[in-house]
Amino acid sequence: MISREVQLKQRPAGMPSADDFTIVETEVADPQDNEVQVVNVCMSVDPYMRGRMVDRKSYTPPFRLGETLTGGAIGQVAASRAAGIREGDYVQSNFGWREAFTAPADQISPLGKLAAPASAYLGALGMPGMTAYVGLLEVGALADGETVFVSGAAGAVGSIVGQIARLRDCHVIGSAGSAEKIAWLRDELKFDAVFDYHGADILAQLRKSAPDGIDVYFDNVGGDHLEAALFHMRPFGRIALCGAISQYNATEPVPGPVNLTLAIGLGLTLRGFIVNHFNHLAEKFRSDMEGWINSGQIQHRETVFNGIERAPEAFIGLFTGENIGKMIVALD
Ligand code: NDP
């Protein structure tokens, strides 16, 4: 079996471009004892992968040039020599950016009976959904009825954050980057207030949407959004530092918020987190989220690019706002 795979040709400088990637063909080995051969159905592109394209120490090691990239993927078993895993089973792995692979059975996770389309396990039922869940409820320590601001609100994480907050009777404000995204958040997801941040005075928008201030800010963007939120936090408010996508392609050091000292007098908590810090909550997350999705209380939307050759374009699209909901690459 031949697999087409995406490799990093050179490290991106600033905004990634198609020239930074190359597609190679690899022969996929037949499975040996305790191995499975998997054909991927879909794969994820995620903002954190940009950090792995830089040659520096981080919480995950950098990608290496000339090697196939890795990342979340859902596939179906094509051949198995591992006990308990059968042909046709759906499995989750970190062997994304490729059409097929053979791996030891302990490097894949069988999904069991699917409660939603397979791709949902890369989005609302997967890593981004869990990030929203633990970031809002554990890191943000959300209480019912509070006022919540989420940036990147129409993305994979942000759209779930806002909906969970709505389930907790919160007043939810979201920022996003296009009229279509704003309409979706307002009309379908029922956010209480939404604004397009392009050219906007973010602080003025927050003052208008939440006259009494913000209890929890879920930060996906950093930079100007974080600074504006800091100016408008209520005493003892919490800021969940989830991501800072406005800075991932920066080529110069980025200045911090000018108003960080406000955190002192207001008694704010600013706490960074990585979803894996909360792996002990994975089962509870999956059961809660399946329940919310099956009852229609949480909607999940995807933007799908078809074919492995479009994976670099899908990845770059994260930084130009091409996606509404989770960005997925479908692989046939
Ligand atoms: P999204 O689905 O939200 O996709 C990225 C979105 O970011 C784009 O659609 C775009 O939407 C927005 N964006 C891009 N550039 C900018 C910019 N300069 N300023 C403002 N918005 C921008 O991605 P995810 O939901 O997967 O991730 C959201 C955030 O969460 C990221 O920062 C990511 O790194 C972080 N994250 C953190 C995790 C953790 O464990 N801490 C785990 C997973 C994600 P728009 O049109 O609105 O600009």
Side-chain angles (χ1 to χ4, degrees):
M1 184 190 294
I2 298 289
S3 167
R4 289 182 301 157
E5 315 196 337
V6 182
Q7 300 191 345
L8 198 58
K9 197 163 66 180
Q10 61 195 16
R11 298 196 182 278
M15 179 69 85
S17 84
D19 294 339
D20 299 328
F21 302 88
T22 184
I23 300 207
V24 301
E25 289 193 355
T26 311
E27 176 76 36
V28 180
D30 291 333
Q32 304 301 307
D33 283 351
N34 291 319
E35 287 188 341
V36 289
Q37 188 180 65
V38 175
V39 174
N40 279 335
V41 175
C42 52
M43 57 160 269
S44 183
V45 287
D46 297 278
Y48 79 85
M49 294 169 174
R50 179 65 184 84
R52 295 194 66 190
M53 292 175 186
V54 181
D55 192 10
R56 69 164 174 239
K57 198 163 174 261
S58 180
Y59 64 94
T60 43
F63 289 129
R64 297 225 288 248
L65 300 185
E67 280 185 11
T68 300
L69 299 170
T70 54
I74 308 293
Q76 267 190 303
V77 175
S80 172
R81 288 183 55 181
I85 302 181
R86 286 180 309 188
E87 204 177 305
D89 285 356
Y90 280 97
V91 296
Q92 184 153 22
S93 79
N94 202 38
F95 293 105
W97 295 93
R98 69 199 74 195
E99 292 177 313
F101 64 92
T102 293
D106 63 3
Q107 291 183 23
I108 58 155
S109 308
L111 281 172
K113 191 171 174 309
L114 300 189
S119 55
Y121 290 85
L122 298 176
L125 282 168
M127 185 276 280
M130 172 119 168
T131 303
Y133 181 88
V134 301
L136 185 64
L137 301 179
E138 300 294 318
V139 180
L142 185 75
D144 290 354
E146 288 191 316
T147 296
V148 176
F149 171 43
V150 55
S151 53
V157 174
S159 60
I160 303 296
V161 168
Q163 292 183 83
I164 297 176
R166 290 275 304 139
L167 288 177
R168 299 285 298 269
D169 293 325
C170 291
H171 181 76
V172 182
I173 301 143
S175 66
S178 74
E180 191 184 358
K181 293 180 184 190
I182 294 301
W184 180 57
L185 295 171
R186 185 189 56 226
D187 301 338
E188 302 288 329
L189 303 193
K190 309 293 182 200
F191 278 45
D192 297 286
V194 276
F195 63 92
D196 186 337
Y197 65 86
H198 288 112
D201 178 338
I202 299 173
L203 180 55
Q205 289 290 338
L206 295 178
R207 285 191 176 124
K208 189 172 82 179
S209 314
D212 297 330
I214 298 162
D215 296 298
V216 176
Y217 171 45
F218 193 106
D219 189 18
N220 286 317
V221 167
D224 54 356
H225 278 76
L226 177 56
E227 193 167 287
L230 271 164
F231 273 126
H232 201 52
M233 295 301 291
R234 285 163 61 82
F236 306 106
R238 284 86 63 203
I239 299 185
L241 298 170
C242 175
I245 197 165
S246 68
Q247 304 175 1
Y248 293 172
N249 294 315
T251 51
E252 300 289 329
V254 183
V258 297
N259 53 353
L260 204 49
T261 50
L262 285 175
I264 301 168
L266 289 170
L268 304 180
T269 302
L270 282 75
R271 182 173 166 198
F273 73 101
I274 296 295
V275 59
N276 298 351
H277 299 161
F278 296 90
N279 280 346
H280 57 286
L281 295 177
E283 267 183 43
K284 180 162 174 17
F285 155 70
R286 188 161 159 181
S287 139
D288 282 351
M289 189 59 75
E290 283 183 359
W292 289 331
I293 287 176
N294 289 335
S295 63
Q297 287 174 288
I298 283 200
Q299 297 182 33
H300 56 108
R301 182 167 170 173
E302 293 171 351
T303 298
V304 182
F305 283 51
N306 287 299
I308 191 77
E309 64 282 1
R310 295 195 70 198
E313 192 188 334
F315 173 70
I316 295 164
L318 293 171
F319 301 97
T320 51
E322 300 301 313
N323 58 309
I324 302 187
K326 174 70 188 130
M327 185 72 101
I328 293 286
V329 180
L331 306 167
D332 293 326

